[in-house]
Amino acid sequence: MSQTPTNPPAAKPAAGHGAKAAAPKLAVLTPEMQQLQQHFGEALITPAPFVGVLVNDKRRLVDVARYLRDELKYDSITNLTAVDYIKEGYFEVVYQVQRSTGGEPLTFKARVPRPQGNDLSEPLPSLTAVYAGADFQEREVYDMFGIPFEGHPDLRRILLWEGFYGWPLRKDWHEPYYEGDTKPFESRWPGGDHKLAEERVPWEDNVNYPPGFDPLSFVANPDAGLYDSMMHGVRVVQSDGSALTTQQNGTATAAAERNGGAATALDELQTDQIIVNMGPQHPSTHGVLRMVVKLDGETVTDLKLALGYLHRNHEKIGERNTWLHNIPYTDRLDYICGLANEWGYVLTVEKMMGIKPTERAEYLRVLMAELTRIQSHFWAIGFLLNDLGAFYTPALYFITERDLILDLFESVTGSRLMCNYFRFGGVARDLTEAQLAHAKELAFERIPRKIDELEALLTDNEIVRARTIGVGYLPADRSINYSLTGPCIRAAGVPYDIRRVDPYGIYDRFDFDIPVLYGADVYDRYRVRVMEMRQSLRIVQQCLKQMEDTRWGDIQAGKKAYNHRVPAGQAYGRVETPKGELGFYLVSDGGQNAYRYHVRSSSFINLNSLKEMVVGHKVADAVVILGSLDIVLGEVDR
Amino acid sequence: MSLMGIGILKGLGVTLRHFIDTYAEDLKYILNKSGVQQPRPLRRQSPKNRGLVTVEYPKERLPLPENFRYIPFLVKDTQTNDDKCTSCGICAKVCPPQCIWIVRTEDPVTKRPVPQPKQFYIDTTICMNCGYCAEFCPFDAIKMDHNYELSYYPEEQPHKRLIHDKHILTKPDTYHAAIHPSDWQRELAEKAAEEEKKRAAAEAKAKAAANPAAAPSSTQPPASA
Amino acid sequence: MTELTAELQNDPRVPEELRNNVFITTLDKIYNWGRKRSVWPMLFGLACCAIEMIATAASRHDLARFGWELMRASPRQADLMIVSGTVTKKMVPQIVRLYNQMPEPRYVIAMGACATAGGPFKEGYNVVSGIDKFIPVDVYITGCPPRPEALLHSFLKLQEKIEKQSLRNVPWYRPGTDDIIPVPMLGPDLVDMRRAEAIRAKAAESQNA
């Protein structure tokens, strides 16, 4: 890279951020990283602070990625995010790639200088050609930081809308209700007179407009570009009768609007293609997801997703929260399985702090996380059947079972959904005798019986089989390239489960299998979920037995505290939630708050592959395929 | 599948069994000779139940577990008629969405802080019921309530927002003892242990006072050293 | 049914021998009795609270006991909108549009802290601090998330409200009360079109300053 010596970040790679005096320690290179360095030269690949390597010439990024994928067999991109180092004056984009056979992910980073004000930064090359799973993640980085990716097929804002003023995750961008960089806020104590947030902001609401903004003459187009690429190559009949093949830009949109939101295609078969919006208010989208489908008759020929209808600014709030504050927020990510999310976050922070939970706490974590998996799969299967048209009977049966598990959660943690149970170095409460008895009754009697019942109800049902076998097929290599995780990839024959490929907690003590099927369709995704429930049950049963040898009440390592300080550094921690791989990429500057708090959410990244699964199927199958991915919008949009 | 329709029949068998089970469960209830009956909500929510599960709220209610948490409340010591809260501000610091506002009392003469909250607000429209305030309060002064029936009409609240102030938040410790029996027992035990310690210390002091010759050497070894 | 018939059967204005056969009641009473027992909520979930809403509709709590029989996905067939979860700026145009499409009489329940005022996410840049900034709310529920029983409690509160309404002054049979709420615009930030003039004036002011 020509500017390597002059590029400020490269010139002082050891500057790091936040650490008052000492330069941050550089990463120790793994053998793979050394191989990468040997291949590309030591000028290009240098150790990055804390973890991973730095790619000094961003123009070579695609080559590096291709080498990693083809030679070093890092076949999927796990996590892609950016960090704004405002003091040092650059953005650092972090890529983490993963072998589907297992092991730690490899991290490489690239830097671009911070631009002035609201401008876009210098572009980075897009890795979508190498890793299809980078698609949504690059769009998210663009949306949040204003870093464009050259060569990205559809670079639009993903969680916010086109035209939004500013790039929210930049450190110098403040939201309307901004009160301070870090919590706790000073205004709360000791002179905390209650004041509504509306009362202290200029616009008297959670809004901010640029100076001179005129809403009456402003033309809003929040979906700009959404339909354009779907119009590509479609012949549109003009109002004067002449036909033209649309280009990939404005023409098509204008024509589409003229035709009431749909384009008319006249090909040899004389069929019309129409564009239909499903959602964000639609009974089958599992929340506020919007699918824009192009239909030829009833067959889906193209699909685009519009996300962000539940974008709750989890990461921006998380960077203001203290480390402890974030635990209850993670419950609200994937709100079906809060306990599993908490584990991911707590695990990552514990990694940075270098502490370990007590023996008893480890067992309690496994117990709760596996019960969460069972109830989440009950829910997922119930609603998959809802999508198939088996209206409510399966869902109601399984919600009843789920309620019994939630009863246990409520009596132990205090809440049905938002459990807030994990703490750094332990858990909040131990189980009483009565609660243990309830758990045992569930694990040894009730749930095994109910899973058998579930299978009797559904597995051999001819209608279920006819509707699901062969539907939503995505072969293993494509699934890996799309960074698919969770039951979906295991239904495609890839035994990728974080509990085995990158073990955490005490899963090595239990005897359980990773169920794998090879159909890669909706039916096998359903069956993998059922098999996983049985395996989870095995873990819970062993856990309840082994737990008896640990000391009751010994649930917190060290002293319970609320003002944790996490040593400066970076870490990526991940767990296997019922939806797939949930990762947290955290950066600490040694203070009480996270400097960067990024959630690698499985539902969001799994959605990358939806288009390839759906195209070619009927629109009714699109609903089922979406159901088989089992997304939760809280986690998709964060 | 060898024979078309077997799978569907099998599934229908499951629904039929569910249907029959509801009556079987009711029969069991009626024919129960022991005479000791669990209340219906409890029986219906037991993992052993195979019949109906519906709880007919508002006529009957599910028993709430002791740990259940809803909006917090402040505990008032009914013996001394004092707030337990010392306005130390820990709850305001650990509150993730920052929904707690505390005004500390100041002594009107010395302007020094007095360990008493002058005002205490919880914005229930921000509160996320996480329970940190109760968990980290060193004085057992703030606890999570069990009352979830807090729906309101817009005209009932100023700004259409339910903001609890100190007056609404304060509840007697008898209420706390009633909804959190084991937590209350723990508090009592801790209090008893502390008093015991205090008494022992006082006794030792009295003993030392009675025997002044031994006192300096035993209580203040550094001073004599 | 039973409470109403019991009340009707004991009406002193009816001769005792006719009480099992003749009921007299006010039009309001019978009108509201019918309405409050057949409120159909819209099948419309936003976030975490929607999960508790589904739990309320499931076997254990069984919403249908109150005659709130089934949830309709179409706003045209719904009487009640349960705003169950965080309202984001990106979603609020759709919510307002759905509300506009609901026929009168229509009711809105703001379920949980987020729908009431933004809840724990209030400080977020994409979060609307309360759905009542755009559409009128009849009952608020606190809690994050409210228990299913808390949602049922709010339903009972709404029934109380319906009971108190009178045909003499309900707005939906009068001409000119069919007010359509302007759909907010997604510009550089969310724009409430009812405040557009004020926003323009203030933005111009800030530019000149």
Side-chain angles (χ1 to χ4, degrees), chain A residues 183-196 198-199 321-322 324-329 332 393 397 400-401 403-404 407 410-415 418-423 428-430 435 438 441-442 446 449-450 453 455-458 460-463 465 560-562, chain B residues 1 3-12 14-19 44-50 53 62-70 87-90 92-104 119 121-123 125-126 128-132 135-136 159 161 163:
Chain A
K183 286 178 183 175
F185 299 135
E186 306 236 309
S187 65
R188 300 297 193 270
W189 178 87
D193 264 313
H194 179 262
K195 205 170 182 189
L196 286 175
E198 284 89 334
E199 289 168 6
N321 284 346
T322 67
L324 186 76
H325 286 165
N326 271 333
I327 301 176
Y329 275 97
R332 287 153 178 84
T393 305
Y397 284 2
T400 304
E401 303 316 309
D403 270 341
L404 289 173
D407 279 348
E410 185 175 40
S411 79
V412 176
T413 70
S415 184
M418 309 307 174
C419 299
N420 191 14
Y421 183 59
F422 286 55
R423 298 285 179 274
R429 285 189 187 86
D430 206 335
Q435 287 158 354
H438 183 116
E441 174 77 28
L442 284 177
R446 176 99 188 185
R449 195 172 74 227
K450 289 294 166 180
E453 200 180 287
E455 286 234 75
L457 183 63
L458 303 172
D460 293 334
N461 188 307
E462 283 82 3
I463 302 172
R465 291 168 64 92
K560 194 166 189 168
Y562 61 88
Chain B
M1 248 326 78
L3 193 63
M4 191 69 188
I6 296 289
I8 293 177
L9 285 178
K10 228 160 102 186
L12 287 174
V14 173
T15 49
L16 180 68
R17 199 156 57 242
H18 266 261
F19 176 72
R44 287 199 162 174
Q45 292 336 305
S46 142
K48 291 195 168 73
N49 169 41
R50 293 182 187 223
V53 292
L62 282 176
L64 290 171
E66 181 179 339
N67 288 335
F68 175 69
R69 47 187 153 80
Y70 225 61
S87 74
C88 69
I90 288 179
K93 283 176 200 149
V94 295
C95 176
Q98 297 283 293
C99 71
I100 300 180
W101 277 260
I102 307 170
V103 185
R104 195 167 53 189
Q119 194 43 280
Y121 301 97
I122 288 178
D123 191 335
T125 62
I126 295 178
M128 69 202 296
N129 307 156
C130 69
Y132 274 160
E135 192 176 323
F136 288 98
H159 304 290
R161 301 283 184 266
I163 318 280

Side-chain angles (χ1 to χ4, degrees), chain C residues 182-200:
Chain C
V183 176
M185 177 177 79
L186 291 176
D189 207 323
L190 187 73
V191 184
D192 183 352
M193 294 316 280
R194 293 168 299 189
R195 289 181 61 204
E197 286 288 354
I199 289 167
R200 177 161 72 167

Side-chain angles (χ1 to χ4, degrees), chain A residues 591-603:
Chain A
Q592 286 195 31
N593 310 73
Y595 184 79
R596 177 81 179 100
Y597 170 78
H598 173 68
V599 186
R600 181 261 187 234
S601 82
S602 40
S603 297

